[in-house]
Amino acid sequence: FFLMIRRPPRSTQSRSSAASDVYKRQEYMGRKLEHIKLIHKDHIQAVMDIDYAPTGREFTTGSYDKTVRIFKTDDGRSREVYHGQRMQKVFCVQYTPDNHYILSGSEDFNIRIWKSNASDPIGPQSQRHKRVLQYREKLKERFGNNKEVKRIMRHRHLPKYILNANRKKQIIKESKYRKQKNQETFNPDFQKPKPEKEEKVLDVEE
């Protein structure tokens, strides 16, 4: 079931977002929750809170898996993940009005401040430093489709318990796929299950 529903700023109010207890965040067209537009995955436990960036192009999530993630609205996988050695379950997240930072509140009684863009420097910058950063961004844009560059850009250090959980999820997914293929081959009456995006919402309570 849904734990939290959020809508982006008014300028981009064409979608609604729902945090789910099945480790994913679902996006719906407009204010209607009957049809799923996109499913955002990466968390391994319940998503507790969502908050859109002031631009409406990204959003952040806090989860029981002790991580804060940042997603682009048109990408099903997170572009950034934050975690701490002592950080516990995250119950709330919020962008600052200037879109530069994210605040998170967790079970360990702490409020943490994260950069919305991890590579952004803090403090005053010289013109030379700004030009170097701009040049690096241009290089990323130019070679971003290269397989090896893309792998490096997407790589994030994750805690061991998340890596182990992801491996288990992948094994279960592959096993389910093999089972479905065998049923399609040997059972003529087998009906292929609908994709997640085509599943209908059973009920909505306000």
Side-chain angles (χ1 to χ4, degrees):
F1 60 90
F2 298 152
L3 302 174
M4 184 68 63
I5 294 180
R6 287 283 186 268
R7 293 188 176 94
R10 292 181 181 179
S11 59
T12 56
Q13 203 168 28
S14 61
R15 59 175 68 91
S16 300
S17 303
S20 169
D21 67 338
V22 288
Y23 325 149
K24 54 194 174 188
R25 175 262 189 198
Q26 299 171 345
E27 185 172 295
Y28 298 83
M29 289 298 294
R31 294 176 178 270
K32 296 182 179 180
L33 301 179
E34 286 81 8
H35 302 288
I36 300 173
K37 179 183 177 184
L38 184 63
I39 299 177
H40 302 267
K41 300 180 179 179
D42 264 347
H43 286 294
I44 61 170
Q45 292 188 25
V47 180
M48 301 304 296
D49 196 15
I50 302 171
D51 190 46
Y52 272 92
T55 61
R57 298 176 182 175
E58 294 185 336
F59 63 90
T60 181
T61 58
S63 171
Y64 248 48
D65 63 10
K66 308 175 187 178
T67 64
V68 174
R69 291 183 181 268
I70 303 174
F71 293 82
K72 293 182 179 180
T73 54
D74 58 353
D75 191 353
R77 297 294 180 180
S78 61
R79 72 162 180 84
E80 194 62 77
V81 55
Y82 292 118
H83 56 89
Q85 187 173 3
R86 295 185 178 136
M87 186 166 73
Q88 299 301 311
K89 300 169 184 176
V90 181
F91 291 116
C92 55
V93 289
Q94 186 173 4
Y95 271 93
T96 55
D98 61 4
N99 196 39
H100 290 161
Y101 300 97
I102 295 170
L103 309 178
S104 70
S106 53
E107 191 182 32
D108 55 356
F109 316 126
N110 286 319
I111 297 174
R112 290 177 171 84
I113 303 176
W114 314 91
K115 291 190 289 186
S116 59
N117 193 343
S119 61
D120 284 351
I122 298 177
Q125 306 169 45
S126 64
Q127 289 299 323
R128 181 180 180 183
H129 191 198
K130 289 180 180 179
R131 288 195 295 270
V132 170
L133 294 177
Q134 291 173 358
Y135 179 69
R136 289 176 181 174
E137 291 300 320
K138 291 293 183 182
L139 288 177
K140 290 179 184 178
E141 292 177 8
R142 183 174 180 180
F143 299 103
N145 292 325
N146 180 281
K147 184 177 180 181
E148 193 64 21
V149 173
K150 188 182 293 186
R151 183 190 67 80
I152 294 172
M153 290 175 61
R154 289 192 62 87
H155 176 74
R156 295 292 182 273
H157 175 73
L158 294 172
K160 188 175 291 185
Y161 69 90
I162 291 183
L163 293 175
N164 291 337
N166 285 335
R167 291 192 192 101
K168 290 179 181 178
K169 283 175 62 178
Q170 185 63 28
I171 292 172
I172 293 172
K173 182 179 179 180
E174 292 174 357
S175 176
K176 186 177 179 180
Y177 177 79
R178 288 196 301 269
K179 181 179 179 180
Q180 180 179 318
K181 283 298 181 182
N182 290 335
Q183 288 177 323
E184 290 176 3
T185 303
F186 301 107
N187 186 359
D189 299 326
F190 175 74
Q191 294 184 351
K192 191 174 181 179
K194 292 183 178 181
E196 285 181 296
K197 287 176 63 175
E198 296 181 11
E199 293 178 358
K200 292 186 177 181
V201 177
L202 299 178
D203 192 16
V204 178
E205 295 183 5
E206 296 186 1

